[in-house]
Amino acid sequence: MMLFQAGNTCRRCMMFLAVFLGSAGHFAVASEIRPAHAAIASAHPLATRAGLDMLARGGNAFDAAIAVSAVLAVVEPASSGIGGGGFYLLHLKHTGKNIFIDARETAPSAASRDMYLGPDGNPVAAGSTEGPRAAAIPGEPAALGFIAKKYGRLPLRVTLEPAIRIAQDGFPLYERLASAIRYKQVQLAKSPEAAAVFLDENLAPLTVGSLIRQPALARTLQMLATSGTGSFYRGAFANMLVSDIQRDGGIWSVEDLARYHVIEREPLTIHYRDATLVMAPPPSSGGMVLGDALNILSGYDFKALDHSTQQHLYIESLKRAFRDRAEYLGDPDFVHIPVTQLLSVDYAAGQRTSIRLDRTLPSNSLRPAVASEESPSTTHFSILDKEGNRVGATLSVNLSFGATYMAPGTGIFLNDTMDDFSIAAGVPNAFGLVGAEANAIASGKRALSSMTPTFVETPRGALIIGSPGGSTIISNVLLDILNWLDGKSAKEIVTTPRLHHQYLPDVITVEPNALDTQEREALERRGHVLKDSKYSWGNTQLITWDFSSGQIEAASDPRGFGLGLVVY
Ligand code: DON
């Protein structure tokens, strides 16, 4: 496996390395050129096709993003949906501006820092992952309405049509979703409305090829299309949602829903070698961890290093960046995050002083977290339209089928994004991530996320990228970016096996076939502990655009069921 090939010399890296915060991250290079073709990569062929259909009907990338999001809510209900949230990174061709739409779920006002701890002070099993009490106020409906109004050209009546039709008529069950249903069979069986859709009359999981019809979800989507997305947050639907949720043990209030709004934030921008990266800001940790890791790596002359040392440095950079994630990151509207300092070249230089080329430095002695089994939840899609507008969006309900609670009569699974908060200091969440005060639960706060939609641009081309995978999203995106910068094709990037480190637990998680014997031994000699994962992770959806040849590629991760298409 090639992790990443030799790049520029160290001097050159240092020359180009600069951090620009607070700028809108304008791309200088591509501003003059337009792509010859449009492209979409998403986690399901029906979603990719619905997006392309919007482009064919005169819509732009943002209309396509609405259609893709809505169809994914129907065909990938374990991964994202109307009951969840996400982040949209937009590039507006006519102004050159990059915009980050934070549609992250917010903690209900009745949420409190110890709400998932029992009388003994320990976390209550599944408290933050199952049932309506695990759900934060969804951002997805608001995001769809906001994007349509501010950036789209087509009405929701048009952009939501494919999703409504597919929810109504059904789609054939495919293996990735079937495996999520098997994985959550017991929980789905507890919700009669969910069981009616995903289980048979004996409460056994439906098998591949079965038709999945979701009439209640079709009605909810139809309501959003005809009455606007505000109908989710105010009025009869909202009142019904809140009263059912409260009856079933949840803590949402009518005011929580009415108060929800998406937030437009400035993306983070850094330069690495000759590339400009436009990245997700807090409450995503994606941009901070990516930026920190790349700043650390920029100090090395990769060309002069052997392959194993390159792998070692990739891991060491992640270890340090994830340590900072645990300590400093949370909702920027609640905690002060030293963004400029953490992304400064001086800070990275300081971090490099603790890195030895021949030895790993152990993470601290906190108890190791148990890594979670990969579940097919969360989704990413990438879009490029012929005008040059770009979208990278990562959407989620958190774990598979979110809280596995389907709000009665709505067809919607509520998220369990409350588990992304730090439930207690040092207590790992479902992804084994630990956190501190910065990510403690508070009323109205947004939980720290790893979702990392990212744009990269060099004088040679552009990349739109992202993936699901909880904490592994960030290492996945980092690896993919390094491979793209080193000249790999879109297809090679999505097929490359992955390595992950997140500071704690202090192990390298290894995808099947990611390391050969020599590479293993070389890492172990440096003191790394390897943990072989039985599962693969990630479901990258990316688009590459080569400016000089004009070639555009859309690639979908072979680990998933998705489809990348370029329209010629
Ligand atoms: O925002 C986050 O970091 C998580 N809720 C994402 C969950 C996820 O990617 C699950 N994927 N397998």
Side-chain angles (χ1 to χ4, degrees):
M1 161 196 137
M2 285 303 290
L3 179 63
F4 33 86
Q5 285 173 333
N8 297 308
T9 64
C10 181
R11 197 174 327 136
R12 188 152 172 232
C13 302
M14 293 306 284
M15 221 166 66
F16 280 110
L17 183 79
V19 179
F20 296 102
L21 294 167
S23 89
H26 289 242
F27 291 134
V29 188
S31 53
E32 307 308 321
I33 347 169
R34 276 169 184 250
H37 320 288
I40 300 182
S42 90
H44 197 289
L46 290 171
T48 299
R49 293 208 169 90
L52 291 175
D53 187 36
M54 294 304 130
L55 299 180
R57 291 167 77 166
N60 58 17
F62 314 120
D63 296 304
I66 295 168
V68 172
S69 305
V71 171
L72 289 173
V74 175
V75 298
E76 264 202 315
S79 302
S80 71
I82 301 300
F87 299 136
Y88 290 81
L89 189 60
L90 312 184
H91 174 68
L92 274 55
K93 180 67 180 185
H94 70 286
T95 58
K97 260 197 115 184
N98 296 303
I99 287 153
F100 181 79
I101 298 175
D102 169 0
R104 185 72 163 158
E105 302 91 321
T106 56
S109 50
S112 57
R113 65 182 295 133
D114 297 336
M115 65 183 279
Y116 298 115
L117 303 183
D120 57 359
N122 291 320
V124 175
S128 59
T129 56
E130 282 177 31
R133 216 167 163 270
I137 306 300
E140 188 57 32
L144 299 179
F146 183 83
I147 294 170
K149 195 161 168 206
K150 192 153 177 197
Y151 299 107
R153 286 183 194 139
L154 302 174
L156 285 174
R157 178 175 46 75
V158 174
T159 50
L160 297 186
E161 185 277 325
I164 297 167
R165 181 172 27 86
I166 297 165
Q168 190 63 51
D169 298 348
F171 66 93
L173 181 58
Y174 54 99
E175 175 49 31
R176 188 174 168 87
L177 179 56
S179 82
I181 295 171
R182 292 195 296 272
Y183 179 56
K184 287 291 169 88
Q185 178 188 1
V186 174
Q187 293 88 338
L188 291 171
K190 290 184 202 158
S191 167
E193 306 219 10
V197 175
F198 300 103
L199 305 177
D200 68 15
E201 57 282 3
N202 302 317
L203 298 180
L206 291 180
T207 49
V208 169
S210 310
L211 195 66
I212 303 289
R213 295 186 64 244
Q214 300 168 85
L217 181 57
R219 280 194 300 278
T220 300
L221 288 165
Q222 186 64 61
M223 174 192 80
L224 301 180
T226 44
S227 310
T229 52
S231 59
F232 180 90
Y233 295 96
R234 278 172 293 272
F237 185 88
N239 295 342
M240 173 188 80
L241 206 53
V242 167
S243 83
D244 286 339
I245 285 169
Q246 287 186 355
R247 182 199 59 217
D248 293 340
I251 56 169
W252 291 14
S253 70
V254 171
E255 293 74 29
D256 289 335
L257 281 171
R259 211 177 288 137
Y260 186 87
H261 59 282
V262 301
I263 302 174
E264 273 197 339
R265 300 186 189 273
E266 196 81 17
L268 298 175
T269 305
I270 66 156
H271 287 198
Y272 170 77
R273 301 200 219 163
D274 62 348
T276 303
L277 283 96
V278 177
M279 310 178 300
S284 171
S285 61
M288 295 296 294
V289 174
L290 264 190
D292 194 358
L294 284 168
N295 283 345
I296 292 172
L297 292 176
S298 71
Y300 297 96
D301 179 1
F302 271 84
K303 209 169 200 160
L305 298 172
D306 62 86
H307 181 49
S308 171
T309 307
Q310 292 178 356
Q311 288 181 321
H312 168 70
L313 289 174
Y314 161 80
I315 296 297
E316 292 301 293
S317 71
L318 282 170
K319 208 184 236 198
R320 283 153 182 79
F322 266 101
R323 180 185 53 200
D324 290 346
R325 179 195 197 278
E327 185 173 345
Y328 297 110
L329 304 189
D331 183 342
D333 296 339
F334 282 71
V335 291
H336 171 70
I337 301 172
V339 173
T340 313
Q341 185 208 341
L342 292 174
L343 287 184
S344 75
V345 286
D346 290 342
Y347 184 72
Q351 286 177 304
R352 274 195 299 275
T353 60
S354 72
I355 296 180
R356 284 172 54 169
L357 291 186
D358 63 333
R359 198 81 206 141
T360 184
L361 200 77
S363 299
N364 73 20
S365 55
L366 280 180
R367 80 181 166 87
V370 183
S372 67
E373 186 176 312
E374 166 69 359
S375 65
S377 54
T378 306
T379 197
H380 176 86
F381 63 83
S382 297
I383 300 179
L384 173 69
D385 71 16
K386 276 174 100 168
E387 292 162 44
N389 297 310
R390 305 171 206 179
V391 179
T394 314
L395 312 176
S396 187
V397 286
N398 195 28
L399 304 179
S400 278
F401 295 104
T404 52
Y405 173 83
M406 192 180 260
T410 67
I412 296 173
F413 281 109
L414 300 190
N415 66 82
D416 59 348
T417 302
M418 292 299 284
D419 191 62
D420 281 338
F421 281 112
S422 173
I423 285 165
V427 172
N429 73 0
F431 299 101
L433 289 166
V434 290
E437 190 56 36
N439 192 32
I441 302 175
S443 164
K445 192 174 173 184
R446 298 181 183 209
L448 187 61
S449 171
S450 300
M451 295 187 287
T452 311
T454 306
F455 299 149
V456 191
E457 191 166 314
T458 70
R460 297 172 302 287
L463 170 71
I464 307 172
I465 187 161
S467 176
S471 54
T472 62
I473 293 173
I474 308 175
S475 56
N476 180 341
V477 171
L478 173 62
L479 181 62
D480 293 351
I481 289 172
L482 292 167
N483 280 329
W484 180 71
L485 290 173
D486 284 332
K488 277 195 175 181
S489 71
K491 193 158 170 230
E492 286 170 322
I493 293 168
V494 293
T495 45
T496 300
R498 298 173 179 142
L499 300 179
H500 173 70
H501 199 295
Q502 59 180 50
Y503 167 54
L504 290 174
D506 190 3
V507 296
I508 302 176
T509 313
V510 183
E511 248 197 347
N513 304 318
L515 294 174
D516 63 26
T517 314
Q518 249 184 342
E519 290 171 330
R520 253 167 210 285
E521 285 171 2
L523 286 168
E524 280 168 349
R525 261 198 312 279
R526 288 181 158 97
H528 290 286
V529 178
L530 305 182
K531 179 173 172 275
D532 289 303
S533 171
K534 276 192 283 182
Y535 309 95
S536 56
W537 63 82
N539 194 12
T540 301
Q541 310 295 329
L542 64 83
I543 292 172
T544 59
W545 172 18
D546 184 303
F547 296 150
S548 52
S549 68
Q551 192 187 15
I552 291 166
E553 289 183 276
S556 183
D557 200 319
R559 295 160 186 80
F561 184 71
L563 178 67
L565 278 181
V566 180
V567 193
Y568 291 96

